[in-house]
């Protein structure tokens, strides 16, 4: 007998404005309880210190969470120069640093230039990356340090927006897997004084931006499930920037059986949204990939019981 899921079958994407002081998993559990939902997952961890855009995928939307995990991110960060911490942020123990009064705007700009484009980053021991099944931060708290391989990430931009005293603010646009705390540490090293993150806010994650983010205060003010569900974005919003392939019902029938289909005027390569034409409406079926012969193969399909 199939195991019965507890909770409501909620489907969609909730863009939460994560508050500081809690983990991304805390956000997931809190939202799951509020909605009484069967299944919820986040799309990339934010440190407890961080706030801002954290998309949560409910139900069938979890099939598309990987695309959000792989998407670019944008951040605002405040960095304090002259102080080095064990974690690279304000939550860690101070372990060093030197006076930063000699640092100039020109020096900061020059150092930032070297931290743009494709760069190598060694993940912090206080990151959520796992080593033999254990998150690195858990090992670090036990005083254990393990070797980490450098990873290639892309920093599209790291704009200096404010510099005052020994603190500066940056806006960073980067690829998945980029650690802003590591940028702060490397910047501090390049300036010869050290540095760490004292403020971090995610401004965008993939297609979702800060003005769309919903606070827990607003969520908790909802009086019923209908009010809560109205705050969910449709599943297809997770891939809203992808090309659309529209098909008639007969073609959609074969696609939903897992068969590649031929669709006139479809893109010639890449991943696409799959839409069925239903009268004057369009129904999102999932996403597919264009094969070498031009047919569209289904890759992730939504299934509603």
């Amino acid at each position: 007998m199939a195991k019965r899921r507890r909770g409501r079958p909620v489907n969609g994407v909730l863009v939460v404005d994560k508050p500081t002081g809690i983990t991304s998993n805390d956000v997931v559990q809190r939202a799951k309880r509020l909605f009484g939902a069967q299944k919820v997952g986040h799309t990339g961890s934010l440190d407890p210190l961080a706030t801002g855009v954290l998309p949560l995928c409910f139900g069938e939307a979890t099939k598309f969470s990987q695309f959000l995990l792989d998407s670019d991110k944008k951040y605002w960060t405040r960095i304090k120069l002259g102080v080095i911490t064990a974690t690279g942020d304000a939550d860690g123990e101070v372990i060093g640093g030197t006076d930063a009064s000699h640092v100039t705007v020109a020096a900061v700009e020059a150092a930032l230039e070297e931290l743009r484009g494709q760069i190598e980053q060694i993940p912090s021991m206080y990151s959520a990356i796992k080593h033999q099944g254990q998150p690195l931060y858990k090992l670090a708290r036990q005083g254990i340090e393990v070797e980490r391989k450098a990873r290639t990430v892309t920093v599209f931009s790291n704009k200096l927006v404010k510099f005052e005293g020994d603190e500066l603010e940056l806006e960073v646009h980067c690829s998945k897997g980029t650690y802003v705390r590591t940028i702060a540490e490397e910047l501090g090293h390049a300036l010869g004084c050290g540095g760490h993150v004292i403020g971090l806010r995610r401004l965008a994650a993939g297609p979702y931006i800060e003005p769309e983010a919903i606070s827990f205060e607003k969520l908790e003010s909802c009086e019923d499930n209908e009010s809560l569900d109205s705050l969910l974005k449709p599943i297809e919003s997770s891939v809203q920037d992808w090309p659309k392939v529209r098909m008639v019902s007969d073609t959609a029938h074969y696609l939903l059986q897992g068969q590649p289909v031929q669709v006139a005027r479809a893109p010639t390569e890449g991943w696409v949204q799959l839409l069925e034409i239903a009268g004057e409406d369009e129904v999102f079926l999932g996403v597919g990939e264009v094969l070498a012969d031009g047919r569209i193969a289904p890759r992730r399909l939504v299934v509603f019981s």
Side-chain angles (χ1 to χ4, degrees):
M1 182 182 292
K3 185 178 179 180
R4 184 179 179 184
R5 286 185 177 274
R6 297 178 62 184
R8 296 195 299 131
V10 182
N11 298 287
V13 179
L14 179 70
V15 185
V16 173
D17 188 342
K18 177 192 169 297
T20 189
I22 63 174
T23 68
S24 296
N25 188 58
D26 291 335
V27 173
V28 168
Q29 297 308 318
R30 195 169 167 184
K32 189 175 183 179
R33 286 193 299 271
L34 273 173
F35 280 79
Q38 290 178 350
K39 187 176 182 181
V40 189
H42 64 70
T43 56
S45 295
L46 278 175
D47 293 337
L49 172 78
T51 65
V53 177
L54 182 63
L56 304 184
C57 291
F58 286 68
E60 284 294 289
T62 58
K63 293 179 178 179
F64 305 87
S65 60
Q66 187 62 47
F67 304 125
L68 295 173
L69 280 165
D70 292 342
S71 65
D72 296 346
K73 311 293 191 299
K74 292 181 180 179
Y75 298 92
W76 165 91
T77 184
R78 181 185 291 274
I79 297 170
K80 185 174 183 63
L81 300 176
V83 179
I84 301 171
T85 69
T87 59
D89 62 24
D91 289 337
E93 177 188 359
V94 175
I95 58 174
T98 60
D99 179 66
S101 60
H102 66 284
V103 177
T104 64
V105 170
V108 173
E109 293 282 15
L112 288 173
E113 179 67 32
E114 296 301 313
L115 294 172
R116 293 185 189 126
Q118 282 198 339
I119 62 174
E120 296 287 308
Q121 280 194 339
I122 297 177
S124 166
M125 271 302 301
Y126 287 86
S127 68
I129 293 174
K130 291 187 177 180
H131 173 75
Q132 298 179 352
Q134 281 271 41
L136 289 180
Y137 65 81
K138 287 191 176 180
L139 297 175
R141 288 169 186 164
Q142 298 170 36
I144 301 171
E145 183 162 351
V146 298
E147 184 178 355
R148 289 96 66 205
K149 291 184 179 180
R151 306 195 304 183
T152 301
V153 297
T154 303
V155 177
F156 302 104
S157 65
N158 51 12
K159 181 183 177 184
L160 179 65
V161 294
K162 188 175 182 180
F163 183 28
E164 189 172 70
D166 59 359
E167 296 183 5
L168 58 87
E169 296 178 14
L170 303 179
E171 288 182 357
V172 180
H173 177 196
C174 54
S175 65
K176 70 165 186 175
T178 304
Y179 286 94
V180 176
R181 74 172 82 183
T182 303
I183 291 176
E185 291 175 318
E186 292 174 345
L187 178 61
H189 178 74
L191 295 171
C193 60
H196 70 281
V197 168
I198 59 173
L200 182 63
R201 182 168 179 78
R202 187 188 278 167
L203 305 177
Y208 305 116
I209 58 176
E210 185 180 26
E212 298 174 282
I214 300 168
S215 69
F216 271 111
E217 287 75 18
K218 182 171 181 178
L219 290 169
E220 289 167 349
S221 71
C222 292
E223 297 180 351
D224 50 39
N225 289 337
E226 184 178 354
S227 300
L228 283 167
D229 293 352
S230 71
L231 299 175
L232 293 168
K233 293 184 175 295
I235 296 172
E236 58 265 36
S237 67
S238 62
V239 291
Q240 61 189 274
D241 297 330
W242 291 19
K244 295 179 179 180
V245 171
R246 298 172 174 87
M247 63 194 75
V248 297
S249 297
D250 287 347
T251 304
H253 170 77
Y254 291 105
L255 183 102
L256 293 173
Q257 303 306 309
Q259 300 179 35
V261 296
Q262 196 77 46
V263 181
R265 296 182 296 280
T268 56
E269 61 181 6
W271 287 70
V272 295
Q273 297 183 57
L274 304 172
L275 302 169
E276 178 184 356
I277 301 169
E280 295 183 358
D281 298 322
E282 295 177 346
V283 179
F284 178 70
L285 303 176
V287 298
E289 188 176 12
V290 182
L291 302 178
D293 62 7
R295 291 182 301 162
I296 310 296
R299 295 296 186 230
R300 301 277 194 285
L301 298 176
V302 293
V303 179
F304 300 114
S305 56

